[in-house]
Amino acid sequence: MKCVIEGNGVKVFGKAIHALARIGGELWLDPMMKGLAVRSVNSAHSAYTCFLFSPLFFQHYSPDTGPAQDCGTVKCKLVMKSVLPLFRCLATIERNVDRCQISINLPDNQVIFQFHCRHGITKTHNLGFQESEALHAVFPSHLCPNVLKAQARLLGDMVMHFPVSQEEITLSMSPLRVNLKSYYEEESDCMKAMHTEMSLDPSEFDYFQVGVDSDITFCLKELRGLLSFAESHGLPVSVHFGAAGKPVSFSVEDMVLEACVVLATLVNPESRTPSQATEAQVPAALRCGGVAEPSEGPCVADAGTPQAQGFPSVGELIASSQGSPVFSGAALMRELTRTGEDSDRLRPRYTHKGRGITTPASSKVRSLLFGALSCEQGDGCTSMLPSLVCSSDTEDEGEERASGTL
């Protein structure tokens, strides 16, 4: 294989090496008839990047390695630490290098980089390689239900707001909005780190296609290199993805080159609130004690329900933007605070059972605000009581309230 890159193309090739260096510690050179493919993959095989330079990108391109190679072109695997220093300073390359020649010397198992600089200076670097099979990532991006296409400047401005130490981010997509926010796996990290979240309208994108609502979490470090490459050359970026747990692809395309980054996503990212996750898992559930459980039959009223205690039925439905029925809580609040007898019943009592703490049905105010009404263990859930705000209390917070009250 022998190819010659001239002028500004040397800087473009060096920029691609910088993007590949963010992925893994090894570099694959794969000369093909349709162009030179330069690839890299991380050690966990969760991130893959490929740059394909067409023959039009080079002043001269010959993928053949000579008659000694009987099985087609040779695939070279190089150590990234030996290749990256050759293109470390792109500004110096743009200013001093006129032409770069890359060739493969099979007898010595070396890849030769020759930089023809100004004033007749030629720099030659011989790098040893290991012959390896071609590296490919099988990902049919055309089958993905969700597609985004935007200018690299837009995506670069979004990523810029996340700190350099941010490892993973969550991309949420719906027909109305596109959200991007930071993701932390452990709760302790959430208390120490800065949380960033931003939202974009679909009109901000050049192309917007939603097949399914999805929240995907992926690594940000591997993506920064491609976004920097695309932004420096003014190339739009296309994003193809589906449900959580399936790969996401970021790609750019030009007349003389193509590039893509394929990243793995978390199977079950904890990006939703507990109430949302419960509703998604059990859509036809009744809320008792702040926990949704599937209903096994019609609920029977017991002494813990407002109807059994003499309260009027508060079944007035209010229109909801989410399409779900919402009960009016104003009538119930007036009934709860009407008499002193009701006030006595509103005094919270806590029952310990193992580590869990449950609140009896008499605590109606807390039920109204947080939707955390509990039923007695032996009785079935009676009916769905009105709730203004879904419960967001954790078990530890409940224990702290219990210890403070007792």
Side-chain angles (χ1 to χ4, degrees):
M1 190 275 295
K2 181 179 179 181
C3 61
V4 179
I5 311 173
E6 270 198 345
N8 190 48
V10 182
K11 181 181 178 181
V12 175
F13 189 85
K15 195 75 174 178
I17 298 296
H18 283 217
L20 291 163
R22 291 179 176 267
I23 300 296
E26 296 175 332
L27 182 73
W28 276 262
L29 291 179
D30 186 7
M32 301 180 296
M33 294 303 299
K34 62 179 180 180
L36 177 62
V38 188
R39 303 182 173 100
S40 183
V41 64
N42 65 352
S43 58
H45 287 191
S46 61
Y48 164 86
T49 301
C50 176
F51 283 81
L52 177 61
F53 298 92
S54 71
L56 297 176
F57 178 79
F58 305 95
Q59 182 192 23
H60 170 76
Y61 178 74
S62 175
D64 298 331
T65 55
Q69 186 70 17
D70 298 331
C71 300
T73 58
V74 64
K75 283 78 175 176
C76 305
K77 183 171 68 173
L78 303 171
V79 179
M80 185 67 73
K81 289 183 178 180
S82 63
V83 181
L84 186 59
L86 307 184
F87 302 91
R88 176 71 68 181
C89 185
L90 297 179
T92 302
I93 291 178
E94 184 180 19
R95 184 170 58 250
N96 297 328
V97 178
D98 295 329
R99 185 172 70 257
C100 175
Q101 177 179 306
I102 305 174
S103 59
I104 297 178
N105 185 358
L106 281 179
D108 297 332
N109 287 339
Q110 290 182 342
V111 177
I112 303 173
F113 291 84
Q114 280 189 338
F115 294 92
H116 298 269
C117 307
R118 295 180 180 179
H119 311 295
I121 300 175
T122 301
K123 298 179 181 180
T124 303
H125 305 272
N126 299 322
L127 306 181
F129 72 86
Q130 177 183 355
E131 188 173 351
S132 175
E133 294 294 331
L135 183 69
H136 296 282
V138 180
F139 178 68
S141 59
H142 63 283
L143 299 180
C144 294
N146 298 339
V147 181
L148 293 175
K149 188 174 182 179
Q151 297 299 317
R153 182 63 180 272
L154 174 64
L155 299 180
D157 291 343
M158 295 177 64
V159 173
M160 180 182 62
H161 293 284
F162 294 95
V164 180
S165 59
Q166 182 68 45
E167 296 183 357
E168 296 171 327
I169 58 175
T170 298
L171 173 64
S172 303
M173 186 175 181
S174 66
L176 300 178
R177 306 295 293 177
V178 174
N179 295 331
L180 199 65
K181 62 182 179 180
S182 54
Y183 173 82
Y184 297 95
E185 185 175 2
E186 298 180 0
E187 191 69 21
S188 58
D189 294 336
C190 296
M191 300 300 296
K192 299 177 183 179
M194 178 182 65
H195 295 263
T196 304
E197 182 174 358
M198 61 195 68
S199 179
L200 288 179
D201 191 81
S203 60
E204 299 288 341
F205 297 89
D206 298 341
Y207 183 79
F208 186 89
Q209 172 186 315
V210 182
V212 293
D213 294 355
S214 59
D215 300 331
I216 59 173
T217 301
F218 53 89
C219 189
L220 178 60
K221 175 185 174 182
E222 286 85 353
L223 179 60
R224 292 184 185 271
L226 180 68
L227 293 182
S228 178
F229 177 89
E231 187 174 355
S232 62
H233 297 93
L235 300 177
V237 179
S238 300
V239 188
H240 298 78
F241 62 98
K246 297 183 179 180
V248 55
S249 171
F250 297 83
S251 61
V252 297
E253 187 174 351
D254 194 26
M255 293 181 59
V256 296
L257 64 89
E258 299 176 7
C260 71
V261 174
V262 181
L263 303 175
T265 63
L266 294 184
V267 176
N268 292 315
E270 299 176 2
S271 57
R272 297 178 297 178
T273 62
S275 60
Q276 290 175 331
T278 303
E279 291 173 359
Q281 296 174 1
V282 190
L286 297 178
R287 300 180 183 273
C288 298
V291 179
E293 299 177 355
S295 59
E296 299 179 355
C299 292
V300 181
D302 62 359
T305 62
Q307 290 83 355
Q309 295 179 2
F311 292 141
S313 175
V314 284
E316 179 185 357
L317 291 177
I318 301 176
S320 170
S321 60
Q322 303 296 327
S324 58
V326 178
F327 289 86
S328 173
L332 178 60
M333 178 61 75
R334 289 194 298 268
E335 293 296 334
L336 293 176
T337 58
R338 184 178 57 181
T339 62
E341 181 182 358
D342 296 337
S343 301
D344 294 337
R345 288 201 300 268
L346 294 180
R347 186 176 297 110
R349 298 190 302 272
Y350 299 92
T351 303
H352 294 266
K353 184 176 182 179
R355 294 184 67 252
I357 298 177
T358 59
T359 305
S362 58
S363 180
K364 298 300 189 301
V365 174
R366 185 174 184 275
S367 304
L368 181 65
L369 296 179
F370 299 102
L373 180 63
S374 299
C375 298
E376 297 296 334
Q377 295 293 334
D379 302 332
C381 180
T382 59
S383 62
M384 181 179 295
L385 292 180
S387 173
L388 299 183
V389 182
C390 294
S391 174
S392 62
D393 295 342
T394 62
E395 183 177 345
D396 294 337
E397 292 174 350
E399 292 180 355
E400 292 177 0
R401 289 196 179 96
S403 59
T405 305
L406 293 177

